Amino acid sequence: MRDYEQEVREDARLIILKALALQTDERLHSGYLGAELERFGIDRPREWIHSELEWLAEIGAVVLTRPGSVLVATLAEKGARHLRRGIVIPGIKRPSRPGE
């Protein structure tokens, strides 16, 4: 049986990538991403969101900048390829096929 916390992390990472992809410039700051996660029932503290963003940056799915106390995430090509189902990134939920 899968670990519940791991499933939440994988869902949150996919939600973050999708939220970034919806933006014209493919970037958002951690405060907006926290609100987006809350829409999906994932209510976690800022430190948790920052650690997930840092994990996504370590694997090359996003690029981070820190203008002050927030993190700004920008979707990287690797993250975009995962969303297009061109690659699978272990640790991030796989997106559904279009129309599913």
Side-chain angles (χ1 to χ4, degrees):
M1 188 158 109
R2 289 187 48 115
D3 177 80
Y4 173 75
E5 184 60 27
Q6 182 61 28
E7 288 201 30
V8 170
R9 288 180 185 282
E10 290 180 9
D11 284 344
R13 293 165 182 167
L14 179 60
I15 291 165
I16 289 168
L17 293 181
K18 285 182 172 182
L20 294 173
L22 290 174
Q23 304 306 306
T24 303
D25 61 359
E26 297 185 326
R27 66 185 176 144
L28 283 170
H29 76 65
S30 53
Y32 286 119
L33 290 168
E36 184 68 11
L37 290 170
E38 285 181 25
R39 283 187 49 228
F40 289 90
I42 301 174
D43 185 13
R44 297 292 192 273
R46 177 187 229 177
E47 296 79 22
W48 188 90
I49 295 164
H50 282 197
S51 71
E52 292 308 305
L53 290 173
E54 289 164 356
W55 184 90
L56 287 166
E58 284 175 22
I59 60 141
V62 302
V63 175
L64 295 180
T65 56
R66 187 183 291 268
S69 64
V70 299
L71 287 177
V72 175
T74 304
L75 186 64
E77 180 57 28
K78 185 174 181 180
R81 289 180 61 209
H82 179 82
L83 290 175
R84 292 190 307 263
R85 297 177 56 94
I87 62 170
V88 174
I89 302 175
I92 303 174
K93 185 176 181 179
R94 192 154 190 222
S96 302
R97 292 177 188 261
E100 286 184 357

